[in-house]
Amino acid sequence: MTAIFCIGMAGSGKTTFMQRLNSHLHAKDTPPYVINLDPAVLKVPFHTHIDIRDAINYKKVQKQYNLGPNGAIMTSLNLFSTKIDQVLGIVEKRVETDKIKHVLVDTPGQIECFIWSASGAIVTDALASSMPTVIAYIVDTPRTTSPATFMSNMLYACSILYKTKLPMIIVFNKCDAQDAEFAKEWMTDFEAFQETLRNSEDLNGEGENSSGYMGSLMNSLSLMLEEFYRHLDVVSVSAYTGAGFDEFLEAVDRKKEEYEVDYKAERERILKEREETKLRKKEKDLARLMKDMDINPSKADSDNSAPKAPIDSISDTEDISEDEDEDTVGLVERDEDEGINGGREYNFTDREGEVNDRSEESLQARYKNTVGSDSQIKTKSLEAMEKVLKNSYA
């Protein structure tokens, strides 16, 4: 299975390309799983399995947060990306159950709202982490006949490639209206593009919209992008007639193999670096916290490793010598065995027998002598209760 993100500028024929690709795969008896991430589109000409419009109302977001069109699209994508784990779980389950080979993802025409936003990175990273993922950059061929427009498109494609770090296919759409051979020649033959630059009136100061430095700038940019072109697959299609879609699917298969060989290892390395960076940040925050609390980790470790002095025992049972028998450990000898008189000493010697006499009759007699007889106790209790009542109502 392969995920294909269809990305392109507004008016490049991205939605029509998605419709034709969907129909082409159905004709091959390999129906794709389709996801729509454009919250502002009113109607899509193909069936979608997951649609952002089912979860988020673009108009309400725009009104509630007082946003413009682009801000509302970005906010809708941000809200949708908070549930990307659930979306990914649904996609993986359906792909495994129905043996789906392709997952098609349609994106907003405002490229910056998706590519350069945090939500776009979350969505692409989530899918790329679970399955091979390819970027299909849709180009409006009739509008790229000018070297300046062509170079602008290529610079945009280059920035998307290095932002997403995913395999990319340049798709020159609308080849029924304009043949894309000129663009393929410019990408493969540096001298052909240089010749076009030299013959372009607008870039040499003779045209109406000319700028003196443009020719030199385009020449330098073409030299820089020569290495970029080597890592791309280029196809020309017509979303109107359906031409070139077999070639596009072949390019997708090649990019899938490239993903497994090169990009997967690169993504794993990036994820590992992120985890290491997160761990270092956590350790740094912990060290700052310990510093604020005036805790020295090295001193604490040295204190734990150093041998501690024995604590003075406060009980005879803790001072056990090596010569003592194990059976007598923890036992204390009686005073009589140590030669100490166990009798009590009293200040009033005439009451020694009374105190030592613990019989029940003796205890009752001492209690009555202290408190009084039963009648006296009742009298004292009534007097005390009368006194309390008088004080309460006084």
Side-chain angles (χ1 to χ4, degrees):
M1 60 181 174
T2 308
I4 304 173
F5 279 88
C6 295
I7 298 174
M9 294 184 180
S12 61
K14 190 170 65 279
T15 303
T16 311
F17 173 83
M18 281 277 297
Q19 179 192 16
R20 178 62 66 175
L21 180 58
N22 185 27
S23 302
H24 188 76
L25 291 173
H26 273 280
K28 288 180 169 291
D29 293 330
T30 56
Y33 195 84
V34 183
I35 302 174
N36 175 44
L37 295 182
D38 190 353
V41 66
L42 297 178
K43 185 178 180 181
V44 290
F46 48 83
H47 173 71
T48 58
H49 297 87
I50 295 178
D51 198 330
I52 188 175
R53 298 174 301 167
D54 295 336
I56 298 168
N57 190 316
Y58 167 77
K59 289 294 184 182
K60 286 187 178 179
V61 170
Q62 188 176 13
K63 183 178 180 180
Q64 181 177 356
Y65 295 98
N66 194 23
L67 299 171
N70 289 352
I73 291 174
M74 291 185 65
T75 304
S76 300
L77 287 170
N78 292 338
L79 295 172
F80 182 79
S81 64
T82 59
K83 303 295 183 182
I84 190 60
D85 54 336
Q86 301 178 14
V87 174
L88 190 60
I90 295 171
V91 173
E92 290 178 345
K93 184 177 180 181
R94 287 295 305 274
V95 166
E96 293 177 0
T97 304
D98 300 340
K99 306 297 181 183
I100 294 173
K101 295 183 178 180
H102 298 92
V103 177
L104 306 182
V105 183
D106 192 16
T107 59
Q110 293 80 355
I111 300 179
E112 66 279 358
C113 294
F114 181 77
I115 292 297
W116 302 108
S117 64
S119 55
I122 292 171
V123 173
T124 53
D125 288 347
L127 278 176
S129 300
S130 59
M131 66 184 72
T133 306
V134 177
I135 301 294
Y137 183 71
I138 316 299
V139 179
D140 188 353
T141 308
R143 295 173 61 185
T144 58
T145 54
S146 168
T149 309
F150 171 81
M151 190 58 61
S152 300
N153 264 300
M154 293 301 104
L155 287 173
Y156 225 127
C158 181
S159 64
I160 292 173
L161 174 66
Y162 288 105
K163 177 65 172 64
T164 59
K165 294 181 175 61
L166 292 171
M168 176 178 285
I169 302 173
I170 301 294
V171 182
F172 287 102
N173 194 18
K174 305 180 184 179
C175 67
D176 58 306
Q178 174 66 51
D179 193 1
E181 289 301 321
F182 74 94
K184 293 180 180 180
E185 185 181 9
W186 287 351
M187 296 178 69
T188 55
D189 189 353
F190 172 75
E191 294 180 356
F193 186 75
Q194 293 293 318
E195 183 66 22
T196 305
L197 286 176
R198 285 192 294 268
N199 297 331
S200 177
E201 293 183 357
D202 287 347
L203 298 178
N204 289 319
E206 300 177 5
E208 207 174 273
N209 301 320
S210 64
S211 297
Y213 69 93
M214 284 297 290
S216 176
L217 176 62
M218 290 297 168
N219 187 19
S220 301
L221 290 175
S222 63
L223 289 172
M224 182 270 294
L225 291 175
E226 187 177 6
E227 181 65 24
F228 164 67
Y229 296 149
R230 296 179 183 177
H231 300 278
L232 299 177
D233 278 25
V234 182
V235 297
S236 59
V237 301
S238 173
Y240 181 73
T241 63
F245 278 86
D246 286 330
E247 184 183 354
F248 172 76
L249 292 176
E250 291 175 1
V252 169
D253 293 336
R254 289 194 298 271
K255 287 302 177 183
K256 179 182 178 181
E257 295 177 359
E258 185 178 333
Y259 174 90
E260 296 290 349
V261 175
D262 299 328
Y263 284 85
K264 187 176 181 179
E266 178 68 13
R267 293 196 65 81
E268 290 177 353
R269 183 187 65 81
I270 293 172
L271 292 175
K272 184 178 180 182
E273 287 182 355
R274 287 181 183 175
E275 292 297 328
E276 292 177 353
T277 303
K278 189 183 297 184
L279 181 61
R280 287 195 298 268
K281 184 178 183 300
K282 187 182 295 185
E283 293 176 352
K284 186 177 180 180
D285 294 341
L286 179 60
R288 187 185 298 112
L289 177 61
M290 296 180 71
K291 182 179 179 181
D292 294 341
M293 297 177 65
D294 197 19
I295 299 175
N296 190 347
S298 58
K299 183 178 179 181
D301 295 339
S302 61
D303 292 343
N304 292 333
S305 60
K308 297 182 180 180
I311 302 175
D312 294 336
S313 59
I314 58 175
S315 173
D316 293 337
T317 60
E318 296 182 8
D319 293 335
I320 308 298
S321 63
E322 296 179 357
D323 298 335
E324 289 182 306
D325 188 2
E326 293 182 358
D327 296 336
T328 61
V329 172
L331 300 180
V332 181
E333 294 183 357
R334 297 179 300 173
D335 293 342
E336 291 83 354
D337 297 337
E338 295 181 357
I340 301 174
N341 184 12
R344 299 185 182 183
E345 297 181 0
Y346 299 98
N347 293 330
F348 304 96
T349 55
D350 58 329
R351 298 174 61 182
E352 182 177 358
E354 178 185 342
V355 174
N356 289 336
D357 186 4
R358 297 184 180 181
S359 61
E360 184 177 352
E361 294 78 8
S362 175
L363 290 173
Q364 291 179 355
R366 284 189 283 117
Y367 179 76
K368 288 183 178 181
N369 291 333
T370 303
V371 179
S373 61
D374 294 340
S375 59
Q376 291 175 342
I377 293 173
K378 292 179 181 179
T379 303
K380 291 180 180 180
S381 299
L382 292 173
E383 291 176 354
M385 290 178 65
E386 290 176 357
K387 185 176 181 182
V388 170
L389 292 173
K390 287 180 180 180
N391 294 333
S392 301
Y393 293 98

